[in-house]
């Protein structure tokens, strides 16, 4: 483990227009290779937190560091550099609908000058092979199922060869039978040592894959610990209530 | 006294009409091309709120929409000439129609760009694409597809409004017909003829654009 966390936020605060406080004083450190799952009720600031990490939300105060380097307040160039290093997967996949699967994956690496077209296509095929979609390389995005689209979106982010990945509820928009294939892809990524921050409601994934679980409520980190600690013996009342509700829903 | 409609007269006027048609097509197609370019530029400036330039684009759109095309044509042809910037009939016509169509296309394309899902912008930025690349590779290809029907509308208007250019003596279709009418008073024959010709070329333009749309929509259809 390297001593400098790959992703770090310090006293991070985010207020939306109208004074709605989405995050207050969030301190988060994610080590290289660590898989962190963020849990919490809706509106607790989970998504906002990871969107602040790659600058999709402008922070109100505090600091965001990636690879030990301060990112916020240094202009769009620094954010762009950071986004090249940290991939992101969205709830609604956000694939480019006018391009086929291959072009979706190769567009950014080619344009960022990371690799030639041929190298990017080779890399795309390798990634598609891993997620089991090799035969879809030339398919239009509209012809894919939600689960397939999300796996392509993961490939698209991975093609940039990021040091870390952010997942913003990647399975929340999927039909139940497609959740498994996306989680399997994420699990494999975690096994390969990728640094990941996942916002999700998949408790099974959190329990089995996460190195650390963070529980947020009303813009604050309420509790954090290993999945074993968190799920079997939550320390705070709010976490207990949350888990109670989830378990009842599952049953 | 009954008016004798004469088909042979139309036949005799055909070479003149064809020359007029050629000029109409030329001035219209060049103007449509420029109006799409101007519209795209203005729409991008306004969508991305480029300081100063977006205000200029907005003022231009309002100005063009709020003044009659004929006044704009006269201003460009006579007004600029009196300032020593005479462009001649053809290029005055192209400039007037391009600026007029450009204003409408600016609004058409702005609508198309606003239909591009916000998530795609975030996805593009999260992949490290620069804003200009996002615009060129994602927003415009999607946004322009969306507004093809409304751009066709504007293009048809540009084509039909090219008949105003007879007022500055450009020898397009309407001018040719008016000329023949002034010589021979065969009003019905001439106006029926050019009406039919305008109808046919507008239908052809629409059919062509529909084909283009079919091709461009292909990736969006589920197999």
């Amino acid at each position: 483990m390297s001593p400098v966390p790959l992703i770090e936020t310090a006293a991070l605060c985010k207020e939306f227009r109208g004074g709605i406080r989405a995050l207050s004083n969030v301190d988060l450190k994610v080590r290289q290779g660590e898989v962190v799952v963020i849990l919490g009720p809706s509106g607790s600031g989970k998504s906002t937190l990871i969107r602040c990490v790659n600058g999709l939300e402008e922070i109100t105060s505090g600091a965001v560091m990636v690879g030990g380097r301060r990112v916020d307040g240094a202009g769009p160039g620094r954010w762009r550099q950071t986004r090249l290093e940290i991939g992101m997967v969205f709830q609604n996949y956000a694939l480019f609908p006018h391009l086929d699967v291959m072009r979706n994956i190769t567009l950014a690496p080619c344009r960022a000058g990371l690799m030639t077209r041929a190298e990017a296509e080779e890399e795309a095929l390798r990634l598609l092979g891993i997620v089991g979609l090799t035969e879809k390389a030339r398919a239009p995005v509209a012809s894919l199922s939600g689960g397939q689209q999300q796996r392509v979106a993961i490939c698209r982010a991975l093609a940039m060869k990021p040091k870390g990945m952010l997942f913003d509820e990647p399975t929340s928009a999927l039909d139940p039978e497609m959740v498994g294939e996306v989680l399997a892809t994420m699990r494999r990524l975690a096994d390969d040592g990728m640094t990941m921050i996942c916002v999700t409601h998949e408790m099974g994934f959190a329990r089995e894959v996460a190195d650390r679980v963070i529980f947020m409520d009303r813009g604050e980190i309420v509790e954090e610990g290993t999945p074993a600690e968190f799920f079997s013996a939550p320390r705070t009342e709010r976490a207990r209530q949350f888990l109670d509700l989830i378990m009842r829903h599952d049953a | 006294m009954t008016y004798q409609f004469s088909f042979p007269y139309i036949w005799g006027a055909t070479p003149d009409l064809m020359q007029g048609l050629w000029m109409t097509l030329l001035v219209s197609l060049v103007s449509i091309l420029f109006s799409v370019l101007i519209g795209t530029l203005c729409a991008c400036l306004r969508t991305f709120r480029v300081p100063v330039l977006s205000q200029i684009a907005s003022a231009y759109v309002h100005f063009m929409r709020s003044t009659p095309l004929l006044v704009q044509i006269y201003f460009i042809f006579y007004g600029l000439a009196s300032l020593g910037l005479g462009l001649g009939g053809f290029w005055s016509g192209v400039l007037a129609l391009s600026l007029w169509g450009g204003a409408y296309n600016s609004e058409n394309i702005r609508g198309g760009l606003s239909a591009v899902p916000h998530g795609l912008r975030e996805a593009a930025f999260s992949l490290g694409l620069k804003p200009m690349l996002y615009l060129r590779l994602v927003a415009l290809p999607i946004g322009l597809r969306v507004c093809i029907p409304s751009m066709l509308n504007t293009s048809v208007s540009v084509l039909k409004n090219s008949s105003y250019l007879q007022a500055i003596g450009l020898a397009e279709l309407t001018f040719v017909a008016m000329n023949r009418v002034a010589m021979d008073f065969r009003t019905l024959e001439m106006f029926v003829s050019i009406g039919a010709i305008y109808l046919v070329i507008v239908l052809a333009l629409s059919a062509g654009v529909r084909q283009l749309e079919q091709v461009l929509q292909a990736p969006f259809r589920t197999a």
Side-chain angles (χ1 to χ4, degrees):
Chain A
M1 296 291 170
S2 63
V4 180
L6 177 64
I7 296 167
E8 184 175 0
T9 70
L12 182 63
C13 293
K14 168 68 186 175
E15 250 176 48
F16 285 109
R17 256 172 302 180
I20 301 154
R21 205 167 176 80
L23 295 174
S24 34
N25 286 313
V26 174
D27 291 303
L28 173 72
K29 283 191 174 74
V30 180
R31 284 174 284 112
Q32 191 89 49
E34 197 179 14
V35 177
V36 173
V37 167
I38 305 180
L39 302 174
S42 100
S44 59
K46 315 178 294 284
S47 291
T48 307
L49 174 58
I50 64 170
R51 287 165 58 82
C52 284
V53 167
N54 76 346
L56 290 181
E57 300 288 352
E58 205 173 316
I59 69 172
T60 307
S61 65
V64 177
M65 270 91 64
V66 173
R69 196 168 61 149
R70 180 92 182 252
V71 207
D72 60 284
R78 179 73 61 84
W79 274 121
R80 205 179 73 78
Q81 188 57 41
T82 303
R83 290 172 184 149
L84 293 175
E85 292 168 11
I86 306 288
M88 182 144 183
V89 175
F90 298 87
Q91 180 174 350
N92 59 3
Y93 340 126
L95 293 179
F96 304 126
H98 58 304
L99 303 174
D100 66 9
V101 166
M102 177 60 87
R103 286 289 289 147
N104 260 281
I105 300 175
T106 57
L107 183 75
C110 291
R111 293 297 171 164
L114 294 183
M115 44 189 104
T116 66
R117 180 83 172 256
E119 285 166 347
E121 292 196 348
E122 197 177 316
E123 175 67 7
L125 283 175
R126 187 183 73 81
L127 291 166
L128 286 172
I130 293 173
V131 302
L133 289 173
T134 311
E135 78 284 5
K136 296 288 186 188
R138 287 297 167 193
V141 166
S143 70
L144 303 184
S145 72
Q148 290 171 331
Q149 289 197 38
Q150 193 61 295
R151 283 183 279 158
V152 172
I154 294 173
C155 292
R156 179 175 70 173
L158 289 176
M160 302 295 289
K161 301 200 183 293
K163 294 179 184 150
M165 290 277 283
L166 308 172
F167 290 86
D168 189 3
E169 303 202 23
T171 58
S172 298
L174 295 176
D175 288 338
E177 76 268 26
M178 294 169 184
V179 169
E181 62 196 56
V182 171
L183 290 181
T185 301
M186 292 169 64
R187 189 183 295 248
R188 171 155 186 166
L189 204 54
D191 290 344
D192 289 346
M194 175 62 78
T195 311
M196 295 162 61
I197 305 180
C198 312
V199 172
T200 182
H201 294 293
E202 299 297 333
M203 296 300 146
F205 178 82
R207 205 190 294 262
E208 290 160 33
V209 184
D211 296 313
R212 184 154 52 108
V213 170
I214 288 179
F215 175 70
M216 290 183 72
D217 192 21
R218 292 178 208 164
E220 292 173 338
I221 295 182
V222 175
E223 182 168 339
E224 57 179 299
T226 64
E229 289 166 2
F230 179 78
F231 286 106
S232 55
R235 294 188 301 274
T236 58
E237 183 55 33
R238 273 192 277 181
R240 260 194 297 277
Q241 279 172 0
F242 175 75
L243 286 173
D244 250 18
L245 275 170
I246 298 278
M247 296 315 164
R248 222 174 295 160
H249 170 81
D250 275 353
Chain B
M1 181 176 116
T2 53
Y3 190 96
Q4 281 293 316
F5 193 90
S6 160
F7 282 104
Y9 181 78
I10 297 178
W11 184 246
T14 302
D16 281 4
L17 291 176
M18 287 304 116
Q19 279 211 316
L21 171 62
W22 166 243
M23 180 53 83
T24 289
L25 288 177
L26 191 64
V27 78
S28 301
L29 294 180
V30 173
S31 300
I32 288 169
L33 179 71
F34 280 125
S35 71
V36 171
L37 293 177
I38 293 170
T40 306
L41 179 68
C42 291
C44 292
L45 293 174
R46 293 188 71 187
T47 300
F48 289 85
R49 299 205 178 87
V50 181
V52 185
L53 293 179
S54 91
Q55 280 83 352
I56 292 175
S58 166
Y60 150 72
V61 169
H62 285 295
F63 180 78
M64 297 309 287
R65 283 197 310 197
S66 312
T67 53
L69 176 58
L70 192 57
V71 174
Q72 295 163 11
I73 292 169
Y74 279 143
F75 173 80
I76 287 170
F77 185 69
Y78 294 114
L80 291 186
S82 64
L83 295 171
L85 295 167
L87 293 171
F90 182 79
W91 290 108
S92 293
V94 166
L95 184 61
L97 288 178
S98 303
L99 289 175
W100 183 87
Y104 284 91
N105 271 338
S106 160
E107 293 302 90
N108 294 338
I109 296 166
R110 207 157 63 91
L113 287 176
S114 71
V116 179
H118 188 67
L120 297 185
R121 188 171 176 159
E122 295 193 336
F125 288 172
S126 79
L127 288 165
L129 284 182
K130 291 176 182 160
M132 277 307 286
L133 279 177
Y134 159 71
L135 182 65
R136 191 156 64 82
L137 301 173
V138 179
L140 280 178
I142 296 172
L144 286 175
R145 278 178 170 92
V146 173
C147 63
I148 285 176
S150 46
M151 283 203 292
L152 170 64
N153 241 341
T154 300
S155 301
V156 165
S157 296
V158 167
L159 199 152
K160 290 185 299 182
N161 286 342
S162 69
S163 74
Y164 280 113
L165 298 178
Q166 61 92 15
I168 57 170
L170 186 72
E172 45 68 59
L173 196 52
T174 305
F175 182 89
V176 169
M178 296 285 279
N179 239 0
R180 297 287 302 213
V181 169
M183 286 189 297
D184 305 322
F185 302 107
R186 313 279 339 176
T187 43
L188 210 49
E189 285 83 349
M190 278 299 95
F191 292 127
V192 164
S193 306
I194 65 169
I197 294 173
Y198 279 119
L199 183 70
V200 168
I201 55 180
V202 167
L203 289 178
L205 180 66
S206 308
V209 171
R210 211 163 33 242
Q211 284 299 314
L212 178 71
E213 210 182 348
Q214 288 292 318
V215 173
L216 289 176
Q217 286 300 329
F220 291 86
R221 277 192 293 273
T222 44

